Amino acid sequence: MVCSCCNKKKRLFDMFYSVEGGKVTLCGECWDVVVRLESDMAGGEKELYDIHLFQLKKRAKNPSEEFLTWQRTHFPSAE
């Protein structure tokens, strides 16, 4: 299994999370940033949202097309 965002490969005890019906898989580090982004959106924290969005973009090394589509739909300012 490979992270759709950062291309990290799953090792023995690594946790991976599935979103979008299993089309997008995220490693623990990318998942943590996504959870923080969702929390920032819900709480209306624009500055933290921008920081976490930048972190997610920085982590995205050769992201899959499914991840990019999912990112655009869930985080509109991610373009």
Side-chain angles (χ1 to χ4, degrees):
M1 188 176 296
V2 175
C3 179
S4 299
C5 178
C6 69
N7 258 356
K8 177 182 174 184
K9 293 185 185 205
K10 183 175 179 1
R11 291 184 297 193
L12 186 57
F13 292 109
D14 285 344
M15 290 291 295
F16 269 67
Y17 301 89
S18 294
V19 292
E20 195 71 25
K23 292 180 183 178
V24 176
T25 56
L26 299 172
C27 67
E29 291 88 12
C30 293
W31 179 253
D32 183 49
V33 176
V34 167
V35 168
R36 289 172 191 251
L37 273 168
E38 291 172 347
S39 174
D40 296 340
M41 279 179 42
E45 297 287 340
K46 176 68 174 144
E47 287 124 13
L48 288 175
Y49 177 82
D50 290 339
I51 291 169
H52 291 130
L53 188 60
F54 177 76
Q55 287 177 348
L56 188 65
K57 287 180 181 180
K58 193 172 180 180
R59 290 194 60 77
K61 297 178 181 92
N62 196 16
S64 69
E65 191 61 39
E66 291 86 8
F67 173 78
L68 294 174
T69 303
W70 174 81
Q71 182 183 17
R72 277 187 232 113
T73 58
H74 282 79
F75 308 113
S77 62
E79 300 168 354

